Amino acid sequence: MTASAASQVKAPAHNESNTVKGIYLVTVSTLLFSLMDGLIKWTGESYPVMQLLFFRTVFAMIPISITLWKAGGLQLLKTEQPFKHFLRGTVGMGAMFFVFTSFIKLPMAEVVSITFAAPIIVSIMAAVFLKERVGIHRGLAILAGFIGVLIIIQPGPGILSSDTIYPIMAAILMATAMLILRVLGKKDHGSVIAFYFTLYGIIVSSIGISVQGWIMPSGIDWILLISIGVLGGLAQYFATRSFAVAEVAVVSPFKYTALIWAATMAYLIWGEVPGWEVWAGASVIVASSLYILHRELYWAKRDKDETSQRQSIRRRLIAFLARN
């Protein structure tokens, strides 16, 4: 799920059918993202990363534009935060570049596992830049998450010169983008944020192609490259819808099925078998991420209850004064 999606959904109704629908949508979204990742790895052997980014953004604009139209149309595009959109676009494209490069150079399951650390990193950033509370519970979960990352990457003297640096950089930039999205989502609709990011991505990747070059696709490669963008756009739409109809705490764990999809696909196509360190580290990262989510929801509910109680006291006081 993107932060823009989370920031713009209404409180879902609490019923079983909505919960099942939300789980179904987030699972489909995760599968589509995983298929997109597989296509990136496959086509990345023949085409420059910037060209892949171009197809990812150009053809993702189709489902994103439909989503924008359904949300209210072009009138929503007026924004008071142009610089923040620019910043989000720059950071987001950087994250996407490192993710794409990671899939080309490393086993899929390893990349997916390391990028799972993004929510853990954003918790630290939120504490530093947004002054969010970090108690002992969240602090221990963050520490555990980083231990999970260390289990996967097995750091040594040459870590910064190895390909492992790509997913690490991707996770850091993804976390930074999430932080910016928290701020953007307070004023702009999620579909607007996605539209501007995709538009920015088209411009940046077009410029990047002039540097890296363009390789003319042939035959079925056209379908594969176009599918990268369409799958990404559809996956983003389904993720947004999932959090609109069901509780965040219920559907979020199903995002981590990405590791299963990635490992299965990588084994069937490339014969990649994740080592014990990937499964062990990923388990720790997922557990710590879910616990951080639990604490965030706990404090959000507590703050909401306290605000509601203060408003209730204020209303009763006003009513008392009015009677007297």
Side-chain angles (χ1 to χ4, degrees):
M1 171 197 184
T2 62
S4 59
S7 64
Q8 296 299 332
V9 296
K10 297 180 180 179
H14 298 275
N15 61 63
E16 186 176 350
S17 62
N18 277 356
T19 298
V20 173
K21 183 178 180 181
I23 292 173
Y24 168 77
L25 288 170
V26 79
T27 303
V28 170
S29 169
T30 304
L31 174 59
L32 293 178
F33 271 129
S34 298
L35 291 174
M36 181 195 74
D37 295 339
L39 289 178
I40 290 167
K41 187 174 182 67
W42 183 276
T43 55
E45 299 175 357
S46 305
Y47 298 94
V49 173
M50 279 297 175
Q51 189 169 338
L52 300 182
L53 288 171
F54 177 79
F55 278 94
R56 165 67 175 88
T57 50
V58 166
F59 290 96
M61 185 61 85
I62 298 172
I64 287 173
S65 296
I66 295 173
T67 304
L68 177 66
W69 175 73
K70 292 177 67 176
L74 296 178
Q75 61 183 0
L76 291 178
L77 291 178
K78 184 178 180 180
T79 179
E80 300 174 357
Q81 310 177 90
F83 177 73
K84 292 174 184 175
H85 280 285
F86 171 79
L87 189 61
R88 182 269 190 273
T90 302
V91 173
M93 283 301 294
M96 199 177 290
F97 174 85
F98 281 113
V99 168
F100 281 29
T101 305
S102 299
F103 281 122
I104 295 170
K105 293 181 175 293
L106 294 168
M108 287 187 67
E110 181 177 341
V111 175
V112 170
S113 299
I114 294 174
T115 55
F116 279 166
I120 298 170
I121 299 172
V122 82
S123 292
I124 299 175
M125 291 182 171
V128 175
F129 297 107
L130 301 182
K131 307 303 179 184
E132 291 186 3
R133 61 170 67 89
V134 178
I136 184 66
H137 295 276
R138 188 186 294 188
L140 291 174
I142 291 172
L143 178 61
F146 277 108
I147 291 175
V149 173
L150 294 177
I151 293 173
I152 296 172
I153 65 176
Q154 302 285 302
I159 184 66
L160 296 180
S161 61
S162 71
D163 291 336
T164 308
I165 192 65
Y166 292 112
I168 293 174
M169 287 300 302
I172 293 172
L173 290 176
M174 287 169 64
T176 305
M178 291 178 188
L179 195 69
I180 299 171
L181 284 167
R182 287 192 183 187
V183 179
L184 273 173
K186 293 178 181 179
K187 293 184 178 180
D188 288 340
H189 195 279
S191 59
V192 174
I193 298 173
F195 179 87
Y196 279 125
F197 170 69
T198 306
L199 179 62
Y200 183 86
I202 293 172
I203 297 171
V204 170
S205 60
S206 298
I207 296 172
I209 286 174
S210 66
V211 177
Q212 282 194 336
W214 171 275
I215 298 177
M216 182 60 65
S218 59
I220 195 173
D221 284 0
W222 277 106
I223 298 175
L224 298 179
L225 291 168
I226 291 172
S227 296
I228 289 174
V230 175
L231 287 171
L234 288 174
Q236 188 169 347
Y237 171 76
F238 284 124
T240 302
R241 288 295 305 146
S242 70
F243 288 89
V245 301
E247 290 293 320
V248 174
V250 174
V251 299
S252 285
F254 291 88
K255 294 188 301 177
Y256 295 103
T257 56
L259 181 57
I260 298 174
W261 301 127
T264 302
M265 193 184 314
Y267 174 73
L268 294 176
I269 300 175
W270 292 281
E272 296 176 357
V273 179
W276 69 268
E277 68 279 0
V278 173
W279 292 112
S283 299
V284 175
I285 294 171
V286 170
S288 59
S289 297
L290 291 176
Y291 189 72
I292 289 172
L293 172 64
H294 164 72
R295 295 302 296 179
E296 287 182 353
L297 294 174
Y298 167 79
W299 283 110
K301 182 178 184 303
R302 182 168 174 174
D303 290 343
K304 182 179 179 180
D305 291 343
E306 290 177 354
T307 300
S308 177
Q309 185 177 21
R310 286 195 298 269
Q311 291 175 344
S312 177
I313 293 173
R314 182 171 177 271
R315 286 194 298 268
R316 288 198 296 269
L317 180 60
I318 292 173
F320 174 78
L321 293 174
R323 288 196 303 271
N324 295 277

